[in-house]
Each structure stands twice: as C-alpha cells, then as structure tokens.
Amino acid sequence: MQQRNISFNNFEQCIKCTICTVYCPVVSVNPAFPGPKQAGPDGERLRLKNKFFFDENLKFCMNCKRCEVACPSGVKIADLIHSARRNYDKQFPELRDVVLANTDLMGKFARPVAPLVNSLISTKPAKVVMDVMLDIDRNRAFPKYQSRGFRGWFKKEARAAQDCYRNQLAYFHGCSTEYQHPEVGKAFVQVMNAVGWGVRLLKEKCCGVAMISNGLWSQVARNANHNIAEFRKAVSRGLPIVATASTCTLTMRDEYPHILGIDNADVRDHITLVEKFLFEKLDAGEIRLVFKNDYRARIVYHIPCHMEKLGWSIFTEELIRMIPGVSLTVLDSGCCGIAGTYGFKKENYASSQAIGKSVFDQINALSPDFVCCECETCKWQIEMSTAYKVFNPIVILAEALDLEATAAANQPR
Ligand code: SF4
Ligand code: SF4
C-alpha cells in the first residue's frame, strides 16, 4: 500500500501574499536561499508529493521566525522549513556543525583550561586553522569561557540562603550563563531574592536550539525530553520555570512541539522569561522595586528575533523605562545576523554581517552607553561588530536597583 504523506503544519492557510519574503533577512543577501514562501508552504506541497523536492538550500534559513511574525495568515513557515530538514535531509552533520551545536559539551571541556582556550581561539593562526579545517570563519570573534561557572557560584555562595524565601521558583539558566556569562545568573538570583523569591536550579540540559539548527535530531530530542521531565517535577511542586535567555525560552515552549513533535502542553505555559515574570508581579502589586537615585544610562534596546516571536519585548521595555535616570531608545526591528551558530560558519559569515549592518549602523549612530538585549548570541554579534557592550536586562536591573531597599520593601507585612 502506498504510504500517504501528511503535513502536521498549517501550510494550506497561505494566501500567497509574499509578505514573508519581504521580511526574510536572508533573501536579500543570499540568492541560493529559496525564501520563506517557496521553502515553506509552496515547498511543503511539493515535498508531500515526493521527497525528491526537498531542497538542501533550506539550510540557509536562520530560523529567526521573522517570516512567521509577518505572516497575516499565521503560517508556521520556519517550523515547516525545519520540520522538512528533520524529515528529509539525509546529509549527516559535519564535524564543524557537531562542535558548534554542542555548547554544553564544549563548555565542559573548555572550563578547566579557560584562560588557555580563550587565548588560543583569539590568535590568528588558530583562527586560520579553524577556517581551513572546520569552515568556521576566521573573522569571527569567540565569546570568552569563564573558569568558574554559574552553578559552582550558586552552590557555594547562594544556595544555602534560598530556603528563607517565602516564594520559590525554578531557574533555567542556559549554557551561556553557565560557561560564558555567569553574571547573568548572579544578577537573576540577586534580583529575585530582593523581591522575595528563592531560586532553585533545575537539572537542566542545553535547550538544544543549536542542535536543531545543525540537524542533531536524536540528540536534541533527548535533551528536550530530559528538560520536559525536569519541568514536570518543578510544576508538580508548584514552581514557575523562569529563564533569562529569550531563545532558550522560545525553543522550550514552541520548538519542542512544533519541530520535534514532543508534547509539552502540560508545562509550556509554566515556562516564562524573567522580564515577563517581574512585570506581571509588579502589575499585580505583589512585588516592589526600589531604584538607586544616582543611576544614569543612555541605553538602546535591540529586540532579538526570538523575542519578537514571543511578543514579550514590551515587558523588558517597560521595566527598563521604570529606572529613573535612564533614557531608552528601542532600535528599529531588525536581525543582527548571527542566529546562534549560523554566523560562525564560513559560508554564512558575509550574509550574517550584511544582515546585521542596519542594526550596527543604528547603534553606532545613537552612541549609547550600552545596549540591552536578552539574547547572548546577539550580544556576541553586536559586541564584535560595534564598539558597544551589550547587557542582559536582568544585569541592568540588578545594577540599577537598590537591592537592600528593594528587599526591605518586599518584606512580608
Ligand atoms: S506571509 Fe504567510 S500567507 Fe503570505 S505568502 Fe508568506 S506564508 Fe503565505
Ligand atoms: S525563519 Fe528567518 S531566515 Fe528562515 S525563512 Fe523565515 S525569515 Fe527567512
């Protein structure tokens, strides 16, 4: 009996308006990419007839989701593209893709010798070797690994104090907080404790977004199932699951079911981002924030693509605007071009920088004190391509808050 192909995506809702193509950042810089309409709904019709129509150039999709945000019919275009890659792409990931996708494993290897690794990967000969041997572009700057991770700090400096808080939450910190930016996790714990919430760490695995981009399908399914099992334990204990990275949040809420076909319906709405969590508590009158009187900063906010897809940038914007002494400019909507591991690859480097140019130009023209952004890979791209530092909003809040006064204001009455 002939097998009937079925699409679980909603490609038939496409009204062929081509708005997605206008909003796709890759179309204008890489002619090899068929574009969201052709790669998404149009391609799905053909692929259902015969898998022969699968186009390997779908690998040029950055999974930025800008097409989905723009689509008036709600077609899950990027999900269609990545589901097609998962179902039909028979090519094995290259060594380079496996290395880039295994952020957790690479961090574990690098941490014990972090100063050595950091010096080595910033030298020109090492960059040339990686360029020639692995096709990782020699112009790319790498984030710095830290010798002491966030979890180690938490265990030694913060865990014992968490029991005394009346409210408890589960924190998903992600790989970059553990290996490159532990200051994000420290700021999270400081702010949460100040507003009366104790922090529990999940036994988390990498959310797997880079594994999705690089086609490590079995590995990402294992990570997703592990994380969902952890979330179920947290939810059964009444703990909200709060994250600080926008891409991890989107992946765990939406990519697990839409691309991997893994059901997370019972935990999805318990997974949130810290800015949304804080804003909602403030709005409900459950917490108070007390800011320093002398904090001053001119900040520009780059909204990461996945934050646009979540639709939650308003929470960050409102929180940062609450800080007296801050002047905040929100950049015009635009992709910075890195898209996780995409901009590290030699074949994508020029496109990546061309896509990000309007973001870099806006930042340079505004000449802020620093940039605010929830995504660590946007941070790496903007810091490499402009003269400005980028901070996660929770780091900015921790710096701007009078933590002692906030803690006093949140004491039970
Ligand atoms: S924007 Fe949506 S409806 Fe319009 S062509 Fe693209 S997928 Fe179809
Ligand atoms: S996800 Fe981004 S790169 Fe991929 S088709 Fe949509 S807009 Fe283009």
Side-chain angles (χ1 to χ4, degrees):
M1 196 169 78
Q2 192 188 358
Q3 191 186 347
R4 191 164 160 250
N5 291 329
I6 299 171
S7 175
F8 292 99
N9 213 306
N10 59 348
F11 72 98
E12 286 175 333
Q13 285 174 216
C14 173
I15 55 170
K16 302 187 183 300
C17 64
T18 69
I19 287 173
C20 53
T21 305
V22 175
Y23 278 83
C24 174
V26 177
V27 165
S28 57
V29 297
N30 185 352
F33 180 53
K37 178 172 170 289
Q38 283 187 41
D42 290 0
E44 188 74 351
R45 278 189 193 91
L46 294 171
R47 292 187 291 263
L48 288 177
K49 286 190 172 60
N50 192 326
K51 62 186 176 188
F52 164 80
F53 289 106
F54 172 74
D55 180 351
E56 279 177 14
N57 286 338
L58 267 55
K59 70 183 176 195
F60 291 119
C61 170
M62 301 194 294
N63 202 18
C64 67
K65 308 282 186 194
R66 288 191 165 267
C67 50
E68 293 189 5
V69 174
C71 177
S73 288
V75 179
K76 296 195 190 83
I77 309 162
D79 293 345
L80 275 166
I81 293 171
H82 289 277
S83 298
R85 289 185 57 226
R86 177 170 166 249
N87 292 334
Y88 304 115
D89 193 350
K90 295 295 173 225
Q91 287 195 336
F92 288 107
E94 298 171 22
L95 174 63
R96 183 264 319 261
D97 301 345
V98 175
V99 168
L100 288 175
N102 274 286
T103 49
D104 196 12
L105 189 64
M106 297 312 292
K108 282 193 174 79
F109 278 131
R111 183 155 60 202
V113 284
L116 183 67
V117 171
N118 293 336
S119 325
L120 190 65
I121 58 179
S122 57
T123 62
K124 199 168 175 190
K127 286 184 171 212
V128 171
V129 169
M130 284 191 281
D131 187 299
V132 173
M133 306 281 289
L134 289 175
D135 284 340
I136 294 174
D137 198 280
R138 68 186 69 188
N139 296 300
R140 175 60 57 191
F142 291 89
K144 299 264 187 289
Y145 288 105
Q146 302 296 319
S147 301
R148 193 177 178 201
F150 165 69
R151 292 183 82 93
W153 171 84
F154 181 84
K155 191 174 170 189
K156 196 160 176 211
E157 313 274 345
R159 189 167 70 190
Q162 300 308 307
D163 285 345
C164 67
Y165 295 97
R166 63 190 183 281
N167 303 304
Q168 297 287 320
L169 58 80
Y171 177 35
F172 188 95
H173 52 74
C175 299
S176 68
T177 295
E178 174 61 9
Y179 297 110
Q180 285 115 350
H181 306 295
E183 72 277 6
V184 174
K186 291 176 193 176
F188 177 84
V189 174
Q190 284 179 322
V191 173
M192 286 303 147
N193 287 175
V195 297
W197 282 77
V199 174
R200 303 279 156 191
L201 298 192
L202 295 151
K203 286 182 187 154
E204 66 179 64
K205 284 189 185 289
C206 169
C207 73
V209 65
M211 295 170 190
I212 292 172
S213 303
N214 289 286
L216 276 63
W217 303 113
S218 336
Q219 202 179 339
V220 68
R222 282 198 296 278
N223 281 22
N225 282 316
H226 171 95
N227 286 335
I228 291 170
E230 282 297 301
F231 297 158
R232 286 190 177 125
K233 282 187 221 161
V235 169
S236 71
R237 291 163 58 204
L239 306 182
I241 299 146
V242 186
T244 40
S246 45
T247 290
C248 300
T249 307
L250 180 81
T251 301
M252 298 184 300
R253 285 170 57 93
D254 294 339
E255 306 286 70
Y256 285 1
H258 295 168
I259 296 179
L260 304 179
I262 294 175
D263 184 9
N264 68 352
D266 55 333
V267 293
R268 178 188 183 269
D269 291 343
H270 296 272
I271 306 167
T272 191
L273 200 58
V274 61
E275 291 78 21
K276 182 171 188 284
F277 182 83
L278 282 173
F279 183 88
E280 288 175 348
K281 297 287 171 213
L282 275 169
D283 200 41
E286 293 174 25
I287 62 169
R288 294 181 62 201
L289 300 179
V290 183
F291 293 99
K292 292 172 184 163
N293 289 325
D294 56 353
Y295 186 86
R296 299 279 177 279
R298 286 179 307 107
I299 305 173
V300 299
Y301 177 28
H302 165 65
I303 304 172
C305 296
H306 290 164
M307 200 67 184
E308 300 237 17
K309 176 62 180 166
L310 284 165
W312 291 351
S313 61
I314 189 67
F315 301 116
T316 299
E317 194 181 331
E318 289 298 313
L319 283 173
I320 300 294
R321 285 197 197 284
M322 283 176 199
I323 307 171
V326 159
S327 114
L328 181 72
T329 306
V330 181
L331 297 180
D332 293 344
S333 177
C335 175
C336 76
I338 190 152
T341 60
Y342 188 93
F344 283 82
K345 300 177 182 178
K346 197 169 169 176
E347 67 272 24
N348 298 333
Y349 181 80
S351 303
S352 165
Q353 293 309 106
I355 289 167
K357 187 173 181 306
S358 72
V359 172
F360 313 147
D361 288 348
Q362 283 183 73
I363 294 170
N364 287 330
L366 288 162
S367 184
D369 292 325
F370 53 82
V371 180
C372 166
C373 178
E374 298 89 345
C375 171
E376 70 283 356
T377 57
C378 297
K379 170 184 168 73
W380 302 342
Q381 172 83 329
I382 293 169
E383 290 186 347
M384 186 190 85
S385 310
T386 72
Y388 297 95
K389 299 293 280 181
V390 181
F391 297 107
N392 187 292
I394 196 68
V395 173
I396 299 171
L397 283 173
E399 186 61 34
L401 280 170
D402 182 332
L403 291 167
E404 275 185 29
T406 300
N410 286 282
Q411 287 293 321
R413 286 158 203 267

